Amino acid sequence: MMIHKTFERQTVNVDYSNQVWQCDHSKLDILLVDKHGESVTLPYLTLIIDSYSRCIMGFHLGFDRPSSHSIFLALRHAILPKQYGKEYQLNGEWVTYGVPEILCGDASRDFRSQRLGQICLQLGINYRLRDDHLSQGGFAERIFRRINTEFLAALPGYINSNIQAQSSLNIAEEEAYLTLQELNLRLVRYIVDIYNQQLDATQGTQTRLQRWESGLSTQPVIFNEQGLDIYLQN
Protein backbone atom coordinates (compact mmCIF):
# COMPACT_ATOMS: atom_id res chain seq x y z
CA MET A 1 0.00 0.00 0.00
CA MET A 2 1.25 3.48 -0.90
CA ILE A 3 1.33 5.87 2.06
CA HIS A 4 1.75 9.65 1.90
CA LYS A 5 2.66 11.79 4.86
CA THR A 6 1.67 15.42 4.67
CA PHE A 7 3.44 18.56 5.81
CA GLU A 8 1.13 18.53 8.83
CA ARG A 9 2.35 14.96 9.61
CA GLN A 10 -0.96 13.40 8.65
CA THR A 11 -0.97 9.98 6.97
CA VAL A 12 -2.90 9.27 3.76
CA ASN A 13 -3.37 5.63 2.70
CA VAL A 14 -3.69 5.28 -1.08
CA ASP A 15 -6.26 2.57 -1.87
CA TYR A 16 -7.56 3.27 -5.41
CA SER A 17 -7.07 5.23 -8.62
CA ASN A 18 -7.80 8.98 -8.77
CA GLN A 19 -7.72 9.12 -5.00
CA VAL A 20 -4.34 10.85 -4.73
CA TRP A 21 -2.43 12.63 -7.49
CA GLN A 22 1.05 14.01 -7.08
CA CYS A 23 2.45 17.03 -8.86
CA ASP A 24 6.17 17.71 -9.37
CA HIS A 25 8.45 19.80 -11.60
CA SER A 26 11.87 19.13 -13.08
CA LYS A 27 14.25 20.76 -15.55
CA LEU A 28 14.92 18.28 -18.36
CA ASP A 29 18.42 17.35 -19.53
CA ILE A 30 17.87 18.28 -23.16
CA LEU A 31 18.56 21.44 -25.15
CA LEU A 32 15.77 22.66 -27.43
CA VAL A 33 15.74 25.34 -30.11
CA ASP A 34 13.15 28.00 -30.95
CA LYS A 35 11.10 27.97 -34.14
CA HIS A 36 13.98 29.65 -35.97
CA GLY A 37 16.42 26.90 -34.98
CA GLU A 38 18.26 29.19 -32.60
CA SER A 39 18.41 30.00 -28.88
CA VAL A 40 19.10 26.58 -27.30
CA THR A 41 17.33 26.31 -23.94
CA LEU A 42 16.49 23.69 -21.30
CA PRO A 43 12.75 23.08 -20.84
CA TYR A 44 10.84 22.38 -17.63
CA LEU A 45 8.35 19.54 -17.17
CA THR A 46 5.46 19.49 -14.70
CA LEU A 47 3.93 16.05 -14.14
CA ILE A 48 0.66 14.91 -12.58
CA ILE A 49 0.96 11.28 -11.40
CA ASP A 50 -1.66 8.95 -9.97
CA SER A 51 -0.22 7.55 -6.73
CA TYR A 52 -2.11 4.26 -6.86
CA SER A 53 -1.20 3.16 -10.40
CA ARG A 54 1.90 5.32 -11.08
CA CYS A 55 0.23 6.39 -14.33
CA ILE A 56 1.19 9.78 -15.69
CA MET A 57 -2.16 11.57 -15.82
CA GLY A 58 -1.07 14.79 -17.50
CA PHE A 59 1.78 17.24 -17.92
CA HIS A 60 2.89 20.71 -18.93
CA LEU A 61 6.08 21.33 -20.89
CA GLY A 62 7.51 24.83 -21.23
CA PHE A 63 10.49 27.14 -21.02
CA ASP A 64 9.23 29.27 -18.12
CA ARG A 65 10.38 28.40 -14.63
CA PRO A 66 7.84 26.24 -12.73
CA SER A 67 5.03 28.21 -11.13
CA SER A 68 1.47 27.82 -9.96
CA HIS A 69 0.45 28.48 -13.58
CA SER A 70 2.45 25.41 -14.68
CA ILE A 71 0.51 23.38 -12.12
CA PHE A 72 -2.83 24.75 -13.41
CA LEU A 73 -2.00 23.73 -16.98
CA ALA A 74 -0.76 20.26 -15.99
CA LEU A 75 -3.84 19.72 -13.81
CA ARG A 76 -6.13 20.79 -16.66
CA HIS A 77 -4.44 18.30 -18.97
CA ALA A 78 -4.76 15.53 -16.38
CA ILE A 79 -8.43 16.18 -15.61
CA LEU A 80 -9.75 16.31 -19.18
CA PRO A 81 -10.11 13.37 -21.62
CA LYS A 82 -7.29 13.51 -24.18
CA GLN A 83 -7.44 13.16 -27.95
CA TYR A 84 -4.49 13.38 -30.34
CA GLY A 85 -4.25 13.60 -34.12
CA LYS A 86 -2.47 11.33 -36.56
CA GLU A 87 0.70 13.40 -36.36
CA TYR A 88 1.37 11.86 -32.92
CA GLN A 89 1.53 8.37 -34.47
CA LEU A 90 0.14 6.73 -31.33
CA ASN A 91 -0.43 2.99 -31.06
CA GLY A 92 -2.81 3.41 -28.14
CA GLU A 93 -4.92 6.08 -26.47
CA TRP A 94 -4.33 8.20 -23.39
CA VAL A 95 -7.50 7.16 -21.60
CA THR A 96 -6.82 8.49 -18.11
CA TYR A 97 -8.82 11.46 -16.83
CA GLY A 98 -10.93 12.57 -13.88
CA VAL A 99 -10.67 14.69 -10.77
CA PRO A 100 -8.59 13.49 -7.81
CA GLU A 101 -9.82 13.53 -4.26
CA ILE A 102 -6.40 14.74 -3.09
CA LEU A 103 -3.62 16.64 -4.88
CA CYS A 104 -0.17 16.53 -3.26
CA GLY A 105 2.75 18.85 -3.91
CA ASP A 106 5.93 19.76 -2.09
CA ALA A 107 6.33 22.78 0.19
CA SER A 108 7.95 25.07 -2.41
CA ARG A 109 6.53 28.51 -3.13
CA ASP A 110 4.55 27.60 -6.28
CA PHE A 111 2.73 24.83 -4.40
CA ARG A 112 1.90 27.23 -1.57
CA SER A 113 0.02 29.54 -3.94
CA GLN A 114 -3.24 30.85 -2.50
CA ARG A 115 -4.72 30.73 -6.00
CA LEU A 116 -3.91 27.02 -6.29
CA GLY A 117 -5.69 26.41 -3.02
CA GLN A 118 -8.74 28.31 -4.28
CA ILE A 119 -8.88 26.35 -7.53
CA CYS A 120 -8.64 23.03 -5.69
CA LEU A 121 -11.45 24.14 -3.39
CA GLN A 122 -13.65 25.03 -6.38
CA LEU A 123 -12.95 21.67 -7.98
CA GLY A 124 -13.62 19.75 -4.78
CA ILE A 125 -9.99 18.66 -4.46
CA ASN A 126 -8.38 18.36 -1.04
CA TYR A 127 -4.97 19.99 -1.50
CA ARG A 128 -2.13 18.72 0.70
CA LEU A 129 1.55 19.64 0.99
CA ARG A 130 3.88 16.64 1.13
CA ASP A 131 6.45 16.14 3.84
CA ASP A 132 9.28 15.12 1.53
CA HIS A 133 11.46 14.05 4.44
CA LEU A 134 8.92 11.49 5.57
CA SER A 135 6.79 10.75 2.52
CA GLN A 136 6.90 7.45 0.71
CA GLY A 137 5.54 9.29 -2.31
CA GLY A 138 8.92 10.31 -3.72
CA PHE A 139 8.51 8.10 -6.76
CA ALA A 140 8.00 11.24 -8.87
CA GLU A 141 11.73 11.84 -8.78
CA ARG A 142 12.30 8.31 -10.04
CA ILE A 143 9.89 8.93 -12.90
CA PHE A 144 11.83 12.04 -13.93
CA ARG A 145 15.04 10.01 -13.89
CA ARG A 146 13.37 7.34 -16.03
CA ILE A 147 12.22 9.99 -18.52
CA ASN A 148 15.78 11.30 -18.75
CA THR A 149 17.44 7.90 -19.23
CA GLU A 150 14.74 5.98 -21.10
CA PHE A 151 13.33 8.73 -23.31
CA LEU A 152 15.54 11.83 -23.55
CA ALA A 153 18.85 9.97 -23.81
CA ALA A 154 17.99 8.84 -27.34
CA LEU A 155 17.15 12.35 -28.58
CA PRO A 156 19.39 15.01 -30.15
CA GLY A 157 20.43 17.71 -27.67
CA TYR A 158 20.49 15.38 -24.66
CA ILE A 159 23.01 16.41 -22.00
CA ASN A 160 24.77 13.21 -20.97
CA SER A 161 25.68 13.35 -17.27
CA ASN A 162 28.18 10.51 -17.79
CA ILE A 163 30.37 12.80 -19.90
CA GLN A 164 32.39 15.71 -18.51
CA ALA A 165 29.95 18.58 -18.02
CA GLN A 166 31.42 21.02 -20.56
CA SER A 167 32.00 18.32 -23.18
CA SER A 168 28.46 17.05 -22.78
CA LEU A 169 27.06 20.57 -23.11
CA ASN A 170 29.11 21.26 -26.24
CA ILE A 171 27.92 18.04 -27.87
CA ALA A 172 24.30 18.78 -26.93
CA GLU A 173 24.50 22.31 -28.37
CA GLU A 174 25.86 20.97 -31.66
CA GLU A 175 23.20 18.28 -31.96
CA ALA A 176 20.15 20.18 -30.69
CA TYR A 177 17.42 20.79 -33.25
CA LEU A 178 14.14 19.76 -31.61
CA THR A 179 11.60 22.48 -30.80
CA LEU A 180 9.33 22.51 -27.76
CA GLN A 181 6.40 21.42 -29.93
CA GLU A 182 8.37 18.50 -31.36
CA LEU A 183 9.46 17.35 -27.90
CA ASN A 184 5.87 17.65 -26.68
CA LEU A 185 4.72 15.34 -29.50
CA ARG A 186 7.42 12.76 -28.71
CA LEU A 187 6.72 12.96 -24.97
CA VAL A 188 3.02 12.22 -25.50
CA ARG A 189 4.00 9.20 -27.62
CA TYR A 190 6.42 7.99 -24.92
CA ILE A 191 3.86 8.31 -22.12
CA VAL A 192 0.96 6.73 -24.02
CA ASP A 193 2.77 3.89 -25.80
CA ILE A 194 5.62 3.12 -23.42
CA TYR A 195 5.55 4.47 -19.86
CA ASN A 196 1.86 3.94 -19.01
CA GLN A 197 1.96 0.55 -20.79
CA GLN A 198 4.90 -0.79 -18.77
CA LEU A 199 4.72 -3.20 -15.85
CA ASP A 200 5.59 -1.46 -12.61
CA ALA A 201 7.81 -3.35 -10.17
CA THR A 202 5.30 -2.71 -7.37
CA GLN A 203 2.19 -3.66 -9.38
CA GLY A 204 2.68 -7.36 -10.08
CA THR A 205 1.44 -8.45 -13.50
CA GLN A 206 -0.52 -5.32 -14.39
CA THR A 207 0.69 -2.44 -16.50
CA ARG A 208 0.33 1.02 -14.99
CA LEU A 209 -2.65 1.70 -17.22
CA GLN A 210 -4.30 -1.62 -16.34
CA ARG A 211 -3.85 -0.88 -12.65
CA TRP A 212 -5.39 2.58 -13.09
CA GLU A 213 -8.41 1.13 -14.92
CA SER A 214 -8.91 -1.75 -12.46
CA GLY A 215 -8.34 0.51 -9.47
CA LEU A 216 -11.15 2.96 -10.20
CA SER A 217 -13.72 2.98 -7.40
CA THR A 218 -16.22 4.81 -9.63
CA GLN A 219 -16.31 5.88 -13.27
CA PRO A 220 -14.54 9.26 -13.51
CA VAL A 221 -16.80 12.21 -14.27
CA ILE A 222 -16.03 14.00 -17.52
CA PHE A 223 -15.46 17.58 -16.47
CA ASN A 224 -16.90 20.41 -18.54
CA GLU A 225 -13.92 21.95 -20.39
CA GLN A 226 -15.32 25.47 -20.51
CA GLY A 227 -16.26 25.36 -16.84
CA LEU A 228 -12.78 24.13 -15.95
CA ASP A 229 -11.19 26.98 -17.90
CA ILE A 230 -13.33 29.50 -16.03
CA TYR A 231 -11.94 28.17 -12.74
CA LEU A 232 -8.35 28.30 -13.99
CA GLN A 233 -8.57 31.73 -15.61
CA ASN A 234 -10.39 33.64 -12.89
Side-chain angles (χ1 to χ4, degrees):
M1 177 188 294
M2 170 67 70
I3 298 174
H4 288 302
K5 292 187 178 180
T6 71
F7 196 73
E8 297 80 13
R9 305 296 174 89
Q10 296 175 330
T11 298
V12 178
N13 295 326
V14 182
D15 299 314
Y16 47 89
S17 301
N18 285 4
Q19 177 191 3
V20 180
W21 288 359
Q22 285 201 66
C23 182
D24 270 289
H25 312 292
S26 181
K27 182 184 285 188
L28 299 182
D29 294 338
I30 188 169
L31 290 172
L32 302 179
V33 302
D34 61 21
K35 61 182 180 181
H36 305 293
E38 302 171 355
S39 182
V40 289
T41 312
L42 293 168
Y44 292 90
L45 176 63
T46 301
L47 287 181
I48 304 287
I49 306 154
D50 177 59
S51 293
Y52 180 78
S53 64
R54 270 65 161 190
C55 266
I56 296 177
M57 304 295 296
F59 72 88
H60 172 67
L61 183 68
F63 288 127
D64 294 334
R65 292 186 64 84
S67 64
S68 57
H69 186 62
S70 307
I71 301 172
F72 300 159
L73 294 176
L75 186 60
R76 180 188 189 278
H77 186 230
I79 288 174
L80 294 174
K82 302 166 224 350
Q83 294 182 337
Y84 293 98
K86 293 182 179 179
E87 68 275 16
Y88 284 85
Q89 300 177 357
L90 299 179
N91 294 321
E93 296 181 1
W94 197 340
V95 299
T96 65
Y97 68 96
V99 179
E101 296 177 14
I102 299 171
L103 179 66
C104 286
D106 63 31
S108 59
R109 181 178 179 181
D110 44 316
F111 286 102
R112 289 178 174 270
S113 161
Q114 183 177 5
R115 179 69 186 125
L116 178 59
Q118 292 172 343
I119 287 174
C120 286
L121 182 63
Q122 289 173 314
L123 294 175
I125 300 171
N126 186 351
Y127 183 64
R128 306 277 188 91
L129 294 176
R130 271 199 325 261
D131 186 336
D132 285 329
H133 295 291
L134 297 175
S135 175
Q136 295 179 338
F139 60 84
E141 288 76 13
R142 295 193 293 276
I143 294 175
F144 282 116
R145 287 197 296 271
R146 179 181 289 272
I147 288 173
N148 268 308
T149 58
E150 189 174 78
F151 168 60
L152 296 179
L155 300 180
Y158 176 66
I159 301 175
N160 192 337
S161 60
N162 294 324
I163 301 176
Q164 185 180 12
Q166 190 57 52
S167 297
S168 179
L169 184 59
N170 291 340
I171 294 171
E173 288 177 344
E174 291 176 1
E175 294 181 346
Y177 68 80
L178 292 177
T179 64
L180 188 71
Q181 182 177 1
E182 290 168 337
L183 181 63
N184 186 89
L185 186 150
R186 296 184 186 213
L187 181 58
V188 168
R189 191 184 305 154
Y190 167 76
I191 292 171
V192 173
D193 289 340
I194 299 178
Y195 179 82
N196 279 353
Q197 296 291 346
Q198 289 173 330
L199 296 175
D200 191 287
T202 62
Q203 314 304 338
T205 59
Q206 289 184 312
T207 66
R208 297 182 179 101
L209 180 57
Q210 288 170 340
R211 183 169 171 85
W212 180 81
E213 291 176 321
S214 65
L216 291 171
S217 60
T218 60
Q219 186 66 25
V221 175
I222 298 179
F223 208 95
N224 179 276
E225 186 171 353
Q226 292 181 335
L228 180 60
D229 287 341
I230 290 173
Y231 287 140
L232 298 181
Q233 292 170 6
N234 285 345

